[in-house]
Amino acid sequence: MRPITFFRAGSIDDAVAAVSANPDSAFLAGGTTEIDLLRLGVIQPTLLVDVNELPLTYLEDTESGGVRIGAMARMSDVARAPRIVERYPGMSQALLLGASEQLRNMASMGGNMCQRTRCAYFRDGRSPCNKREPGSGCSALNGVNRGHAILGTSDQCIATHPSDVAVALVALDATVRTMGPDGIRTIPIEQFFLRPEDTPSVEHPLEHGELIVAIDVPDLPVARASRYVKHRDRASYEFALVSVFSAMRVDDKGNVAELRLALGGVGTVPWRAHRAEEALIGRPATPENFAAAADAELADADTRPMNAFKVTFAKRAIVRELSQVVTS
């Protein structure tokens, strides 16, 4: 076993400096995924910089009427915060469906954004995996891939992104705030999650030593009626086969006036359903139009024999969820 040095950072600057100075170092937040990967030998840092004592657990209103969530805020606290439940109920639902109660009590919002895929080939530490060892191949392409992605894939990787709350945040146009060696920057959340393409080992545009400090969610009146539904093999702690976040406003003529739609369980990144949104805005909110929009969104799905069912599953989930929004 490789020896690991542990350092508990007392400030954001100390944390950034410590990780930046060591190319084999990593931040340690809740550790609900990272410790597992350490034990499995999938990641092997020589230095862990603990950021749990940094003043990043806040949840506060922004001047523009949105919400700023500190990166170390625990998932369980955010899920039950009155301002989240009232203004972004779909986000609250995604958090509550995201893990077991014990994990939610420890897992941080910033850590959730950076969690690694649950692909078994990535986690076993032995199978060829381009995320773990670039250029080694992707065992899932012709292996057991029932739970793998059908959107945003490449011939290098078809691993599904595991986060539930990230699906909500993508639909809500959240922004990730970071602090790094070069100072503060903000990253639109759709740019934060990188598709595998030719470099599946690069999952985020973060520089080494760049720390997530907050997530900003804008003020969106339509989000007050948002919902998140998660379809999985069992009702307890399990990752999504297909999930849907929706927030829709229908005008007095019965047409879709505003829509935010995102999918989980089907993409290599949390999947914003832009095609479906564009197909529905200004059109009657009917099951037939919902189905046509779902067809448009899934038109480029890249399936394998074991996960081809996800195309039909996702289409039906979209139609069912949007139909329920209209009738609720």
Side-chain angles (χ1 to χ4, degrees), residues 159-204:
T160 308
H161 195 279
S163 176
D164 289 286
V165 71
V167 177
L169 292 170
V170 163
L172 295 169
D173 285 332
T175 300
V176 178
R177 296 172 62 88
T178 69
M179 173 69 81
D182 297 325
I184 297 173
R185 70 167 170 155
T186 58
I187 306 170
I189 198 159
E190 276 199 270
Q191 297 176 22
F192 183 78
F193 300 106
L194 304 180
R195 300 184 192 184
E197 298 182 344
D198 295 328
T199 55
S201 61
V202 182
E203 299 175 341
H204 309 287

Short mmCIF file of all heavy atoms in Angstrom, two decimals, residues 159-204:
data_model
loop_
_atom_site.label_atom_id
_atom_site.label_comp_id
_atom_site.label_asym_id
_atom_site.label_seq_id
_atom_site.Cartn_x
_atom_site.Cartn_y
_atom_site.Cartn_z
N ALA A 159 -19.46 5.28 -20.09
CA ALA A 159 -19.85 5.29 -18.68
C ALA A 159 -20.89 6.37 -18.41
O ALA A 159 -20.81 7.48 -18.93
CB ALA A 159 -18.62 5.52 -17.80
N THR A 160 -21.87 6.04 -17.59
CA THR A 160 -22.93 6.97 -17.23
C THR A 160 -22.51 7.85 -16.07
O THR A 160 -21.88 7.39 -15.12
CB THR A 160 -24.19 6.19 -16.82
OG1 THR A 160 -24.52 5.25 -17.84
CG2 THR A 160 -25.36 7.13 -16.61
N HIS A 161 -22.88 9.13 -16.12
CA HIS A 161 -22.62 10.01 -14.98
C HIS A 161 -23.60 9.64 -13.87
O HIS A 161 -24.80 9.52 -14.12
CB HIS A 161 -22.78 11.47 -15.36
CG HIS A 161 -22.20 12.40 -14.35
ND1 HIS A 161 -22.88 12.76 -13.21
CD2 HIS A 161 -21.00 13.02 -14.28
CE1 HIS A 161 -22.13 13.56 -12.49
NE2 HIS A 161 -20.99 13.74 -13.11
N PRO A 162 -23.13 9.50 -12.62
CA PRO A 162 -23.99 8.95 -11.57
C PRO A 162 -24.83 9.95 -10.79
O PRO A 162 -25.75 9.55 -10.07
CB PRO A 162 -22.97 8.30 -10.62
CG PRO A 162 -21.75 9.16 -10.74
CD PRO A 162 -21.72 9.59 -12.18
N SER A 163 -24.54 11.25 -10.88
CA SER A 163 -25.18 12.21 -9.98
C SER A 163 -26.64 12.47 -10.32
O SER A 163 -27.00 12.63 -11.49
CB SER A 163 -24.42 13.54 -10.01
OG SER A 163 -25.08 14.52 -9.22
N ASP A 164 -27.48 12.54 -9.30
CA ASP A 164 -28.87 12.94 -9.46
C ASP A 164 -29.01 14.45 -9.39
O ASP A 164 -29.65 15.07 -10.26
CB ASP A 164 -29.74 12.30 -8.38
CG ASP A 164 -29.91 10.81 -8.58
OD1 ASP A 164 -30.66 10.41 -9.49
OD2 ASP A 164 -29.30 10.03 -7.83
N VAL A 165 -28.44 15.07 -8.37
CA VAL A 165 -28.62 16.51 -8.21
C VAL A 165 -27.98 17.28 -9.35
O VAL A 165 -28.45 18.37 -9.72
CB VAL A 165 -28.08 16.99 -6.84
CG1 VAL A 165 -26.56 16.96 -6.79
CG2 VAL A 165 -28.57 18.41 -6.56
N ALA A 166 -26.94 16.74 -9.98
CA ALA A 166 -26.34 17.42 -11.12
C ALA A 166 -27.32 17.53 -12.28
O ALA A 166 -27.28 18.49 -13.05
CB ALA A 166 -25.07 16.69 -11.57
N VAL A 167 -28.22 16.57 -12.42
CA VAL A 167 -29.25 16.64 -13.46
C VAL A 167 -30.14 17.86 -13.22
O VAL A 167 -30.45 18.62 -14.13
CB VAL A 167 -30.10 15.35 -13.47
CG1 VAL A 167 -31.23 15.45 -14.50
CG2 VAL A 167 -29.21 14.14 -13.77
N ALA A 168 -30.53 18.05 -11.96
CA ALA A 168 -31.34 19.22 -11.62
C ALA A 168 -30.57 20.51 -11.85
O ALA A 168 -31.11 21.48 -12.41
CB ALA A 168 -31.78 19.13 -10.16
N LEU A 169 -29.33 20.55 -11.44
CA LEU A 169 -28.54 21.77 -11.56
C LEU A 169 -28.28 22.14 -13.02
O LEU A 169 -28.23 23.32 -13.37
CB LEU A 169 -27.22 21.61 -10.80
CG LEU A 169 -27.36 21.53 -9.28
CD1 LEU A 169 -26.04 21.12 -8.64
CD2 LEU A 169 -27.84 22.85 -8.70
N VAL A 170 -28.11 21.13 -13.88
CA VAL A 170 -27.94 21.41 -15.31
C VAL A 170 -29.21 22.03 -15.88
O VAL A 170 -29.17 23.00 -16.65
CB VAL A 170 -27.57 20.11 -16.05
CG1 VAL A 170 -27.80 20.25 -17.55
CG2 VAL A 170 -26.11 19.75 -15.79
N ALA A 171 -30.36 21.49 -15.49
CA ALA A 171 -31.63 22.04 -15.98
C ALA A 171 -31.86 23.47 -15.49
O ALA A 171 -32.50 24.28 -16.17
CB ALA A 171 -32.78 21.15 -15.54
N LEU A 172 -31.33 23.77 -14.31
CA LEU A 172 -31.54 25.08 -13.70
C LEU A 172 -30.47 26.12 -14.09
O LEU A 172 -30.50 27.24 -13.58
CB LEU A 172 -31.57 24.93 -12.18
CG LEU A 172 -32.74 24.10 -11.63
CD1 LEU A 172 -32.52 23.79 -10.15
CD2 LEU A 172 -34.07 24.82 -11.84
N ASP A 173 -29.55 25.75 -14.96
CA ASP A 173 -28.49 26.67 -15.41
C ASP A 173 -27.66 27.18 -14.24
O ASP A 173 -27.35 28.39 -14.13
CB ASP A 173 -29.07 27.85 -16.18
CG ASP A 173 -29.49 27.47 -17.59
OD1 ASP A 173 -28.89 26.53 -18.15
OD2 ASP A 173 -30.42 28.09 -18.13
N ALA A 174 -27.29 26.29 -13.35
CA ALA A 174 -26.45 26.67 -12.22
C ALA A 174 -25.04 27.04 -12.70
O ALA A 174 -24.66 26.77 -13.84
CB ALA A 174 -26.37 25.53 -11.21
N THR A 175 -24.29 27.64 -11.81
CA THR A 175 -22.90 28.03 -12.07
C THR A 175 -22.01 27.51 -10.96
O THR A 175 -22.36 27.61 -9.78
CB THR A 175 -22.77 29.57 -12.15
OG1 THR A 175 -23.61 30.06 -13.20
CG2 THR A 175 -21.34 29.96 -12.45
N VAL A 176 -20.88 26.95 -11.33
CA VAL A 176 -19.91 26.46 -10.35
C VAL A 176 -18.85 27.53 -10.13
O VAL A 176 -18.25 28.02 -11.08
CB VAL A 176 -19.26 25.15 -10.85
CG1 VAL A 176 -18.20 24.66 -9.86
CG2 VAL A 176 -20.31 24.07 -11.07
N ARG A 177 -18.64 27.88 -8.87
CA ARG A 177 -17.62 28.87 -8.50
C ARG A 177 -16.41 28.13 -7.93
O ARG A 177 -16.55 27.24 -7.09
CB ARG A 177 -18.16 29.86 -7.47
CG ARG A 177 -19.31 30.70 -7.97
CD ARG A 177 -19.94 31.52 -6.85
NE ARG A 177 -18.99 32.45 -6.27
CZ ARG A 177 -18.77 33.68 -6.71
NH1 ARG A 177 -19.41 34.13 -7.77
NH2 ARG A 177 -17.91 34.48 -6.10
N THR A 178 -15.23 28.51 -8.38
CA THR A 178 -14.02 27.84 -7.93
C THR A 178 -12.97 28.84 -7.47
O THR A 178 -13.02 30.02 -7.82
CB THR A 178 -13.41 26.97 -9.05
OG1 THR A 178 -12.89 27.84 -10.08
CG2 THR A 178 -14.44 26.03 -9.65
N MET A 179 -12.02 28.32 -6.71
CA MET A 179 -10.82 29.08 -6.33
C MET A 179 -9.61 28.22 -6.67
O MET A 179 -9.54 27.05 -6.24
CB MET A 179 -10.82 29.40 -4.84
CG MET A 179 -9.53 30.03 -4.34
SD MET A 179 -9.27 31.71 -4.98
CE MET A 179 -10.33 32.63 -3.86
N GLY A 180 -8.71 28.78 -7.43
CA GLY A 180 -7.52 28.04 -7.82
C GLY A 180 -6.28 28.88 -7.73
O GLY A 180 -6.31 30.02 -7.23
N PRO A 181 -5.17 28.36 -8.19
CA PRO A 181 -3.92 29.12 -8.15
C PRO A 181 -4.01 30.47 -8.87
O PRO A 181 -3.30 31.41 -8.51
CB PRO A 181 -2.92 28.19 -8.86
CG PRO A 181 -3.50 26.82 -8.72
CD PRO A 181 -4.98 27.01 -8.75
N ASP A 182 -4.90 30.57 -9.85
CA ASP A 182 -5.05 31.81 -10.61
C ASP A 182 -6.23 32.65 -10.14
O ASP A 182 -6.61 33.61 -10.80
CB ASP A 182 -5.21 31.49 -12.10
CG ASP A 182 -3.98 30.81 -12.68
OD1 ASP A 182 -2.86 31.14 -12.24
OD2 ASP A 182 -4.14 29.93 -13.54
N GLY A 183 -6.81 32.29 -9.00
CA GLY A 183 -7.89 33.09 -8.44
C GLY A 183 -9.26 32.48 -8.64
O GLY A 183 -9.39 31.27 -8.89
N ILE A 184 -10.27 33.32 -8.56
CA ILE A 184 -11.66 32.87 -8.64
C ILE A 184 -12.11 32.82 -10.09
O ILE A 184 -11.74 33.65 -10.91
CB ILE A 184 -12.57 33.84 -7.87
CG1 ILE A 184 -12.21 33.86 -6.38
CG2 ILE A 184 -14.04 33.47 -8.03
CD1 ILE A 184 -12.94 34.91 -5.58
N ARG A 185 -12.92 31.83 -10.41
CA ARG A 185 -13.58 31.82 -11.70
C ARG A 185 -14.95 31.15 -11.57
O ARG A 185 -15.21 30.43 -10.60
CB ARG A 185 -12.75 31.16 -12.79
CG ARG A 185 -12.57 29.66 -12.68
CD ARG A 185 -12.01 29.13 -13.99
NE ARG A 185 -11.60 27.74 -13.90
CZ ARG A 185 -11.55 26.92 -14.95
NH1 ARG A 185 -11.87 27.36 -16.16
NH2 ARG A 185 -11.15 25.66 -14.81
N THR A 186 -15.81 31.40 -12.54
CA THR A 186 -17.13 30.80 -12.57
C THR A 186 -17.27 29.98 -13.85
O THR A 186 -16.81 30.39 -14.92
CB THR A 186 -18.24 31.87 -12.53
OG1 THR A 186 -18.08 32.77 -13.63
CG2 THR A 186 -18.16 32.66 -11.22
N ILE A 187 -17.90 28.81 -13.72
CA ILE A 187 -18.04 27.88 -14.84
C ILE A 187 -19.51 27.51 -14.99
O ILE A 187 -20.10 26.93 -14.07
CB ILE A 187 -17.21 26.60 -14.60
CG1 ILE A 187 -15.75 26.93 -14.27
CG2 ILE A 187 -17.30 25.68 -15.81
CD1 ILE A 187 -14.94 25.74 -13.79
N PRO A 188 -20.14 27.85 -16.12
CA PRO A 188 -21.51 27.37 -16.36
C PRO A 188 -21.55 25.86 -16.24
O PRO A 188 -20.66 25.15 -16.74
CB PRO A 188 -21.80 27.84 -17.79
CG PRO A 188 -20.88 29.00 -18.00
CD PRO A 188 -19.63 28.65 -17.24
N ILE A 189 -22.57 25.34 -15.59
CA ILE A 189 -22.52 23.94 -15.21
C ILE A 189 -22.51 22.98 -16.40
O ILE A 189 -21.93 21.90 -16.33
CB ILE A 189 -23.66 23.60 -14.23
CG1 ILE A 189 -23.34 22.28 -13.51
CG2 ILE A 189 -25.00 23.55 -14.94
CD1 ILE A 189 -24.06 22.08 -12.22
N GLU A 190 -23.13 23.36 -17.52
CA GLU A 190 -23.05 22.47 -18.67
C GLU A 190 -21.63 22.38 -19.23
O GLU A 190 -21.29 21.40 -19.88
CB GLU A 190 -24.03 22.93 -19.76
CG GLU A 190 -25.44 22.42 -19.54
CD GLU A 190 -26.28 22.48 -20.81
OE1 GLU A 190 -26.91 23.52 -21.03
OE2 GLU A 190 -26.30 21.50 -21.56
N GLN A 191 -20.82 23.41 -18.98
CA GLN A 191 -19.42 23.35 -19.39
C GLN A 191 -18.54 22.65 -18.36
O GLN A 191 -17.39 22.33 -18.64
CB GLN A 191 -18.90 24.77 -19.64
CG GLN A 191 -19.61 25.51 -20.75
CD GLN A 191 -19.13 26.94 -20.90
OE1 GLN A 191 -18.03 27.31 -20.48
NE2 GLN A 191 -19.96 27.79 -21.50
N PHE A 192 -19.10 22.43 -17.18
CA PHE A 192 -18.33 21.79 -16.11
C PHE A 192 -18.19 20.29 -16.33
O PHE A 192 -17.19 19.69 -15.96
CB PHE A 192 -19.01 22.06 -14.77
CG PHE A 192 -18.27 21.51 -13.59
CD1 PHE A 192 -17.16 22.18 -13.08
CD2 PHE A 192 -18.67 20.32 -12.99
CE1 PHE A 192 -16.46 21.67 -12.00
CE2 PHE A 192 -17.97 19.81 -11.91
CZ PHE A 192 -16.87 20.48 -11.41
N PHE A 193 -19.20 19.67 -16.94
CA PHE A 193 -19.18 18.23 -17.19
C PHE A 193 -18.76 17.99 -18.64
O PHE A 193 -19.44 18.41 -19.57
CB PHE A 193 -20.55 17.61 -16.92
CG PHE A 193 -21.01 17.79 -15.51
CD1 PHE A 193 -22.01 18.70 -15.21
CD2 PHE A 193 -20.44 17.07 -14.47
CE1 PHE A 193 -22.45 18.87 -13.90
CE2 PHE A 193 -20.87 17.23 -13.17
CZ PHE A 193 -21.87 18.13 -12.88
N LEU A 194 -17.63 17.34 -18.83
CA LEU A 194 -17.06 17.13 -20.17
C LEU A 194 -17.40 15.74 -20.69
O LEU A 194 -17.23 14.74 -19.99
CB LEU A 194 -15.54 17.31 -20.12
CG LEU A 194 -15.03 18.63 -19.56
CD1 LEU A 194 -13.50 18.66 -19.58
CD2 LEU A 194 -15.60 19.82 -20.35
N ARG A 195 -17.88 15.68 -21.92
CA ARG A 195 -18.14 14.39 -22.54
C ARG A 195 -16.82 13.67 -22.82
O ARG A 195 -15.77 14.31 -22.99
CB ARG A 195 -18.92 14.59 -23.84
CG ARG A 195 -20.26 15.27 -23.64
CD ARG A 195 -21.02 15.35 -24.95
NE ARG A 195 -22.18 16.23 -24.84
CZ ARG A 195 -23.07 16.42 -25.80
NH1 ARG A 195 -22.92 15.79 -26.97
NH2 ARG A 195 -24.10 17.25 -25.61
N PRO A 196 -16.85 12.34 -22.89
CA PRO A 196 -15.59 11.61 -23.01
C PRO A 196 -14.82 11.89 -24.29
O PRO A 196 -13.60 12.09 -24.26
CB PRO A 196 -16.03 10.14 -22.94
CG PRO A 196 -17.48 10.14 -23.25
CD PRO A 196 -18.00 11.45 -22.75
N GLU A 197 -15.49 11.90 -25.44
CA GLU A 197 -14.83 12.13 -26.72
C GLU A 197 -13.49 11.38 -26.76
O GLU A 197 -13.44 10.17 -26.55
CB GLU A 197 -14.69 13.63 -26.96
CG GLU A 197 -16.06 14.31 -27.04
CD GLU A 197 -16.01 15.79 -27.33
OE1 GLU A 197 -14.94 16.42 -27.18
OE2 GLU A 197 -17.06 16.34 -27.71
N ASP A 198 -12.38 12.08 -27.02
CA ASP A 198 -11.08 11.39 -27.12
C ASP A 198 -10.29 11.39 -25.81
O ASP A 198 -9.21 10.81 -25.73
CB ASP A 198 -10.22 12.04 -28.22
CG ASP A 198 -10.82 11.86 -29.60
OD1 ASP A 198 -11.48 10.82 -29.83
OD2 ASP A 198 -10.65 12.76 -30.44
N THR A 199 -10.81 12.09 -24.78
CA THR A 199 -10.08 12.19 -23.51
C THR A 199 -11.01 11.88 -22.34
O THR A 199 -11.33 12.76 -21.54
CB THR A 199 -9.46 13.59 -23.34
OG1 THR A 199 -10.52 14.57 -23.46
CG2 THR A 199 -8.38 13.84 -24.38
N PRO A 200 -11.50 10.64 -22.22
CA PRO A 200 -12.46 10.32 -21.16
C PRO A 200 -11.92 10.47 -19.75
O PRO A 200 -12.69 10.58 -18.80
CB PRO A 200 -12.84 8.86 -21.46
CG PRO A 200 -11.72 8.33 -22.27
CD PRO A 200 -11.22 9.48 -23.07
N SER A 201 -10.60 10.50 -19.59
CA SER A 201 -10.03 10.67 -18.26
C SER A 201 -10.14 12.10 -17.76
O SER A 201 -9.97 12.37 -16.57
CB SER A 201 -8.56 10.24 -18.25
OG SER A 201 -7.80 11.05 -19.14
N VAL A 202 -10.45 13.04 -18.67
CA VAL A 202 -10.63 14.45 -18.29
C VAL A 202 -12.12 14.70 -18.19
O VAL A 202 -12.82 14.83 -19.19
CB VAL A 202 -9.98 15.38 -19.33
CG1 VAL A 202 -10.14 16.84 -18.88
CG2 VAL A 202 -8.52 15.04 -19.52
N GLU A 203 -12.63 14.80 -16.95
CA GLU A 203 -14.07 14.87 -16.74
C GLU A 203 -14.57 16.29 -16.45
O GLU A 203 -15.76 16.57 -16.58
CB GLU A 203 -14.46 13.94 -15.59
CG GLU A 203 -14.13 12.48 -15.90
CD GLU A 203 -14.39 11.56 -14.73
OE1 GLU A 203 -14.47 12.05 -13.60
OE2 GLU A 203 -14.52 10.34 -14.96
N HIS A 204 -13.65 17.18 -16.03
CA HIS A 204 -14.01 18.54 -15.67
C HIS A 204 -12.92 19.49 -16.14
O HIS A 204 -11.75 19.08 -16.28
CB HIS A 204 -14.18 18.68 -14.16
CG HIS A 204 -15.07 17.65 -13.55
ND1 HIS A 204 -16.43 17.66 -13.72
CD2 HIS A 204 -14.80 16.55 -12.79
CE1 HIS A 204 -16.96 16.63 -13.10
NE2 HIS A 204 -16.01 15.94 -12.52
#
